[in-house]
Amino acid sequence: MTSKRNWPTARSKWSVVLLAALIVVLTVLSIVWTTDLLKPHTNPLAIVAGHDGLLEVRHQVVNNTNRLRASYGLRPLDMTAKLNRGAQDHSDYMARTRNFVHSTDLVFQMTQAYDGNWSFAGENIGVFGGQLSELLTALRQSPEHRANMLKPQYRRIGVGAVWDSDDERLWLTVWFEG
C-alpha cells in the first residue's frame, strides 16, 4: 500500500486543539500498553521473546530488504526509531485484536514523525505461524509487498513484531518512508 500525502485545505483552531489532545492521549496509552507488554506474565502477547528477539527480527527484516534492494542496484534503507515505534504500535494492535489489517493512520503517523518532511509512505504486514525466514520469503514473492521493498523513493524503514504465544503466530509490520 503506497500513498502520497494530501493536505486538508483548511483547519479550524479547535480541530488542531482536539487533534493535539488526541495525540497526547494515544501516546500515553501507547506507552502504558508497551510497558505492560514488556512485563513478564502480564499478557499472553510477548514482543518476540523480549527485547533481544525484537531486535533480531528487526535486523533480519531490514537486512533481507536491503539485500533485495542491493540486487536491483538500489540504496539500502536506514532503520529509524520513529518508524520502529509506529510499526510496533500497529503490530501490537493487530496481535491484541487479532485483526490483520493495514494501518488506517499511516499518513498521520508519518506526518507526526517527520513533520511533513516526506513524500512517500508504504506498509507491508504479515502474520505467520512458521519461521521468520518463510514469512520474509512470502513477502518477497508477493508482487505488492516486493514493490514496496523495491520502491526507489524510499529511504527509511521501521519494523514492529509481536509473537502471539496463544496462536503461535508472528504479527509483523514494516513501514517504509521516503
Side-chain angles (χ1 to χ4, degrees):
M1 177 172 117
T2 304
S3 61
K4 193 149 174 103
R5 70 179 153 182
N6 293 316
W7 293 102
T9 56
R11 289 188 181 191
S12 72
K13 180 180 177 181
W14 289 109
S15 295
V16 172
V17 170
L18 289 173
L19 182 60
L22 179 62
I23 291 168
V24 169
V25 168
L26 291 175
T27 301
V28 169
L29 289 174
S30 173
I31 291 168
V32 168
W33 177 252
T34 303
T35 303
D36 286 346
L37 277 178
L38 294 174
K39 293 178 184 173
H41 310 296
T42 60
N43 193 300
L45 301 178
I47 298 181
V48 194
H51 183 70
D52 292 338
L54 176 59
L55 291 178
E56 179 60 27
V57 168
R58 283 182 173 153
H59 288 291
Q60 284 187 41
V61 170
V62 172
N63 290 340
N64 178 70
T65 301
N66 284 336
R67 275 194 307 275
L68 179 64
R69 289 175 66 85
S71 71
Y72 283 83
L74 298 171
R75 65 174 278 184
L77 300 175
D78 297 320
M79 184 168 48
T80 72
K82 288 179 181 181
L83 290 180
N84 283 345
R85 277 192 299 275
Q88 187 63 51
D89 288 346
H90 190 65
S91 289
D92 292 343
Y93 167 79
M94 289 192 303
R96 184 177 65 251
T97 62
R98 289 178 171 66
N99 187 11
F100 183 64
V101 62
H102 281 282
S103 175
T104 58
D105 65 345
L106 181 61
V107 171
F108 175 75
Q109 292 278 351
M110 291 293 179
T111 301
Q112 293 301 308
Y114 291 100
D115 298 322
N117 188 20
W118 61 277
S119 298
F120 296 93
E123 175 183 64
N124 284 348
I125 58 173
V127 61
F128 196 70
Q131 297 294 317
L132 178 61
S133 60
E134 295 172 34
L135 176 56
L136 295 177
T137 298
L139 289 173
R140 278 193 317 270
Q141 292 174 349
S142 159
E144 291 174 344
H145 294 101
R146 184 182 186 89
N148 265 343
M149 297 167 81
L150 294 174
K151 189 169 187 112
Q153 292 88 346
Y154 292 147
R155 297 290 178 248
R156 290 175 281 272
I157 187 172
V159 180
V162 174
W163 174 254
D164 183 339
S165 58
D166 288 344
D167 291 339
E168 296 187 3
R169 294 191 294 180
L170 176 71
W171 298 83
L172 180 72
T173 303
V174 183
W175 278 6
F176 303 92
E177 180 272 326

